[in-house]
């Protein structure tokens, strides 16, 4: 048995593309309650009150909605170097960039499906301005409580043509641990839930039902209670944010969810819950086609758009 | 057995006096999340998102903090007339006023301790401006979610020199129903929890430990969940609002509470919970001195200021 | 304007008929967590931990599932007498019975649709046995916390061929207050939400889509938090109780719900929330056909069975 | 910068000693809601519904209350071997034992303060009997919902004469990551909060105020919501379990807590919340004496016994 690979720590941030930058910014700032930490060119960098780095969302104006890239932070400079070598060996590397707002040199690559990734280690820890200084010193930022008041980016769910290939790349080359997956009756792998930590999921691959490549399913932002997910639904409702799926509990990973669309067209989740995987050698849960047909944990059937819409 | 008196419906609003009007307004608008509905002279009228009338709080500049008055709405014009006659018979009436922002003619009087009251029936139902129009038509106002986002005024707690006399007046003349009370070993009545509805309390008299008359203990504002009370504590903390008593559960009436001081010096509670009294002829719960010494429901001892501080 | 009629206090209990008495009893005792207070013939009397009377559910073996009767408690003996006279004048009275376990003489009648009702005033307040004695003296019974641990019966929803006629009877003869209703485009009244108190609903009439008479839609039991509704869904799931509608928020009355079927076939709701109607002269909210087509508060579409299945 | 040590995965179980085995078992089974998984000699092995191994608590009859031992699971056989060598090099090793119910060979050692530890890798994953089979296949066991229904062991807090020495041992030899600590004005280290994962704490050392060695402060069991912590307080109250500290929020680590004493005298916490430390190189939060004097997050002062009582 090979020892577990623990070179990458977590998803540091994701870049979201939007054709409606002002409206999207309004959503993330007023409805999700994030803070604008920096602006650079056509991008605005936003943070949840619990992010230890300067931001976890880079919102960039673009012709089309979708994922710009996601960036993974390594455990150490040596760990970063090891992963870069492994990615190059896999033939998917693109090379180093100087860095971006808030972090140092980053190595760019894609997964087999073509989603853009970056790896980095050097980062700026968040230092709040006076008006955002928290009362508790173990908290990066004041709790302002505006809108849904999301705490941080939680996970990224992307669509892929070949889930198996991308899942294997994430496991073998990046060191993600596979906790749950879906296998259809014909043997097709239809979804894979993976994590770098004990959290039930950080990176998810779901089969692209329309046969496209490189699409985003959704970004998920964390709140500390299920009650805040319910509250977020009231805020979505009274802010004219289209709710795609009302709060309920997933069967897979058991997260409590709310799905809606930000004005740029990207699907956004407000999430809480799920379980922790303390087991260092867990047997991944495999769901069959029949089991998935039962719907979510309490029997809620997923709406059609959830299986087809991506950006 | 006399039939129950049901002429008064509820406490429509309370007027709070503050020597720091700007800071107090900032608290009610930004931290409690109320909306400014009107201004008149030295007063600002504020509402929670669930108030069916235009406001439930009248905030008035004054040399000293305290309660200006509280206003009770009658069930009907006839009921109003009946209560006015009973008050006059009790010798505590002061006469009619033309009304105020949002309501019609009101009859002024005091309780035996000297707290100012008004009775009225005619009122303006709230009509939200466009930006506060709710998505659900059975809700008076949009849920904005700012700050603690209190829904409405819930109850008023006043101090009195002679709890027994004031409680009897509230029961016999106003028609409040007594649900719980404290009786000390020497027979002194130290507190009375009363309501006009099935809610566990709307008007509370507590013995004034300093022997003053006419003082306010606190105004309580309602939120729909205990989680919102906990969230309010985080907001108090990060907005430098002094927390007098952290969230916990009362033994009496079983409400879940958070107490703090608004900048003008008045004690404010954020509350949820308690029980409903569906029983039309309940036997009031009587707490002894020994039972009260056990603290709140889960054993939390009340801080000294809670027993002595009033405005 | 006539003065409001306030002769009836609340729904004291409901009798549920079941063809599977043992399995139904198992559900109410183990899954909903009620206590067996008494047995008599083919009936078992059950209580929630917050019921002030001995029971709020009478479970009776029967060939078919459905509602046996529901019993309303009057505010006073005089109020009871007034209502009996009004019912007799309406031609729907059936006469007095001696009483039942836990309550005194009761007057039997039906609503226009044929559902059986009783009115009573004399009742036995609950006196807990030693093992169910509570720590807080303002609580009728110890909080055991078994299963969903429902606190009390909350409301009854019945189907009716002619909602308008039954609603008018409940308003004019029984004194229920109408808070919300549905009116279809052709003028048909499709639902009416009524209450005897500030609680958003206690008695609901919904149009019987299959044209039957006297059917029950559901009984609803109260828990003190939305979290407990979510927890109840987990308990339903792991106790093989069919969930008809997963937890979400109603648009009408804004209650938070979970619907499932007890083994006898009756639909049961676990409920929390909604708003309070402090207004003594509220304008009822009227929902149109188009508004109802939008689904529940957060857009959840109701399953077909919810519109057709009754017992 | 040395690379992080990641050889140990988590605390697999703790052994609690009790002079009142029957009463203690009643507490863990009925009030905390754990399941008895096995019995062996004077020990009973109990599990929460979310434990992936057979148990997380070994309850052993003993003359005095306290901690028997705690057992840490390694990431792999190789990782286990590396840690054993490091412990032996530190001179605190005691040697291998054959294993115990549910797990394979274990290496025994003590920390500098004398608390007994074990390291192991081989373990039996939990296989539920028919009546405890869950509906969701990614959950180890049915959610029964009995009592407080704790999910799993969360963390262990032990007292130590010399916090600094024990903290350094845990960091350097075992690979725990230090997230928060207390440093008194005279430089004494008074507490250290450490973890093997992103969870805010798993192992805590607090200075023993009475100067003893090897004492336990408390074991903490996890529930999935703050509402369940509040509910647990109601259950403690109505089951005559002494509440030492009512539910509130810690300043350090920000966990939501309830503390009580199980019948054997050991302090037990029901916990939820806190934050996740995704940062692989966090700067530990250091609290000063003055900061600790402010009490918990919302100002609650800790009772005296919390600072002195240990077992």
């Amino acid at each position: 048995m090979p020892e577990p690979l623990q070179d990458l720590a977590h998803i540091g941030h994701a870049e979201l593309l939007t054709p409606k930058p002002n409206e999207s910014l309004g959503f993330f700032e007023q409805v999700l309650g994030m803070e604008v930490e920096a602006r650079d060119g056509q991008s605005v960098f936003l943070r949840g009150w619990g992010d230890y780095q300067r931001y976890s969302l880079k919102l960039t104006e673009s012709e089309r909605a979708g994922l710009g890239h996601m960036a993974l932070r390594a455990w150490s400079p040596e760990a970063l170097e090891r992963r870069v070598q492994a990615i190059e060996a896999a033939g998917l590397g693109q090379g180093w960039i100087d860095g971006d707002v808030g972090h140092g040199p980053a190595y760019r690559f894609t997964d087999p499906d073509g989603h853009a990734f970056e790896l980095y280690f050097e980062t700026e820890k968040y230092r709040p301005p006076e008006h955002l200084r928290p009362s508790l010193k173990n908290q990066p930022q004041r709790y302002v409580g505006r809108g849904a008041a999301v705490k941080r980016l939680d996970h990224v769910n992307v669509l892929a043509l070949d889930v198996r290939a991308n899942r294997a790349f994430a496991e073998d080359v990046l060191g993600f641990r596979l906790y749950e997956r879906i296998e259809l009756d014909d043997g097709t792998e239809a979804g894979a839930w993976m994590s770098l930590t004990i959290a039930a999921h950080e990176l998810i691959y779901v089969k692209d039902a329309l046969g496209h490549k490189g699409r985003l399913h959704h970004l998920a932002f964390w709140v500390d209670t299920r009650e805040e997910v319910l509250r977020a639904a009231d805020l979505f409702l009274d802010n004219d944010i289209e709710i795609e799926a009302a709060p309920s509990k997933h069967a897979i990973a058991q997260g409590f969810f709310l799905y809606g669309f930000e004005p740029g067209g990207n699907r956004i989740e407000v999430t809480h819950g799920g379980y922790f995987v303390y087991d260092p050698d867990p047997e991944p849960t495999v769901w069959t086609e029949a089991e998935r047909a039962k719907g979510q944990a309490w029997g809620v059937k997923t709406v059609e758009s959830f299986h087809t819409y991506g950006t």
Side-chain angles (χ1 to χ4, degrees), chain A residues 5-10 72-80 82-83 120-121 196-197:
Chain A
L5 198 61
Q6 298 183 72
D7 280 349
L8 301 184
H10 69 109
L72 310 177
R73 188 163 179 232
W75 268 87
S76 65
E78 296 76 13
L80 173 58
R82 282 193 295 268
R83 284 314 100 210
Y120 71 103
F121 173 71
L196 292 164
T197 69

Side-chain angles (χ1 to χ4, degrees), chain A residues 243-246 261 267 296 300-308:
Chain A
I243 294 174
E244 184 188 32
F261 297 105
R267 183 187 285 107
Q296 299 306 335
V300 171
K301 303 300 183 216
T302 317
V303 296
E304 180 59 25
S305 62
F306 198 80
H307 296 300
T308 55

Side-chain angles (χ1 to χ4, degrees), chain A residues 48-83:
Chain A
W49 60 274
D51 280 314
Y52 77 88
Q53 296 176 107
R54 287 181 57 196
Y55 60 91
S56 57
L57 176 67
K58 178 180 182 178
L59 184 66
T60 300
E61 181 172 0
S62 177
E63 270 185 45
R64 291 199 298 180
L67 181 72
H69 75 280
M70 73 181 101
L72 310 177
R73 188 163 179 232
W75 268 87
S76 65
E78 296 76 13
L80 173 58
E81 189 51 42
R82 282 193 295 268
R83 284 314 100 210

Side-chain angles (χ1 to χ4, degrees), chain A residues 209-230:
Chain A
L210 302 190
H212 296 302
K213 294 189 80 166
R215 295 204 299 165
L216 171 70
H217 192 267
H218 70 268
L219 295 187
F221 294 89
W222 177 269
V223 288
D224 269 347
T225 62
R226 297 198 291 200
E227 278 290 345
E228 286 172 87
V229 178
L230 301 177

Side-chain angles (χ1 to χ4, degrees), chain A residues 29-281:
Chain A
E29 198 174 6
Q30 299 304 323
V31 183
L32 284 201
M34 302 180 83
E35 298 292 331
V36 172
E37 165 62 10
R39 291 170 190 268
D40 185 37
Q42 297 310 98
S43 296
V44 182
F45 300 79
L46 294 121
R47 53 177 285 104
W49 60 274
D51 280 314
Y52 77 88
Q53 296 176 107
R54 287 181 57 196
Y55 60 91
S56 57
L57 176 67
K58 178 180 182 178
L59 184 66
T60 300
E61 181 172 0
S62 177
E63 270 185 45
R64 291 199 298 180
L67 181 72
H69 75 280
M70 73 181 101
L72 310 177
R73 188 163 179 232
W75 268 87
S76 65
E78 296 76 13
L80 173 58
E81 189 51 42
R82 282 193 295 268
R83 284 314 100 210
V84 168
Q85 290 174 17
I87 293 162
E88 289 185 337
L92 287 165
Q94 297 182 330
W96 289 90
I97 61 166
D98 282 346
D100 196 354
V101 170
H103 70 84
Y107 185 81
R108 289 194 68 102
F109 65 99
T110 67
D111 64 13
D113 202 67
H115 299 96
F117 281 74
E118 293 181 6
L119 290 190
Y120 71 103
F121 173 71
E122 285 175 30
T123 195
E124 291 178 40
K125 306 292 174 80
Y126 179 63
R127 298 284 174 250
E130 185 56 35
H131 73 285
L132 291 177
R133 195 157 299 170
S135 294
L136 294 176
K137 64 196 292 186
N138 55 359
Q139 189 170 303
Q141 179 199 302
R142 175 172 295 208
Y143 176 69
V144 174
R146 188 179 56 246
V150 297
K151 193 171 188 177
R152 54 174 177 76
L153 177 68
D154 185 69
H155 63 266
V156 180
N157 182 319
V158 289
L159 298 171
L161 210 51
D162 181 347
V163 169
R164 194 180 304 270
N166 286 277
R167 187 261 298 165
F169 173 78
E171 279 194 288
D172 301 341
V173 180
L174 301 181
F176 276 88
R177 297 161 67 199
L178 176 67
Y179 291 154
E180 306 202 21
R181 64 188 189 85
I182 302 173
E183 188 166 310
L184 303 185
D185 295 348
D186 65 4
T188 306
E189 194 159 320
W193 279 253
M194 292 177 289
S195 182
L196 292 164
T197 69
I198 61 171
H201 46 32
E202 293 178 72
L203 176 61
I204 304 167
Y205 280 99
V206 173
K207 187 164 176 53
D208 195 315
L210 302 190
H212 296 302
K213 294 189 80 166
R215 295 204 299 165
L216 171 70
H217 192 267
H218 70 268
L219 295 187
F221 294 89
W222 177 269
V223 288
D224 269 347
T225 62
R226 297 198 291 200
E227 278 290 345
E228 286 172 87
V229 178
L230 301 177
R231 185 176 168 275
D234 283 334
L235 288 166
F236 277 26
L237 181 68
D238 265 352
N239 281 282
D240 299 320
I241 301 301
E242 183 188 342
I243 294 174
E244 184 188 32
S248 199
K249 179 180 173 176
H250 278 297
I252 298 177
Q254 300 197 15
F256 198 70
F257 62 81
L258 161 68
Y259 291 97
F261 297 105
E262 57 90 19
N266 294 292
R267 183 187 285 107
I268 299 295
E269 180 184 4
V270 177
T271 186
H272 174 73
Y275 52 81
F276 299 133
V277 183
Y278 282 99
D279 187 354
D281 62 345

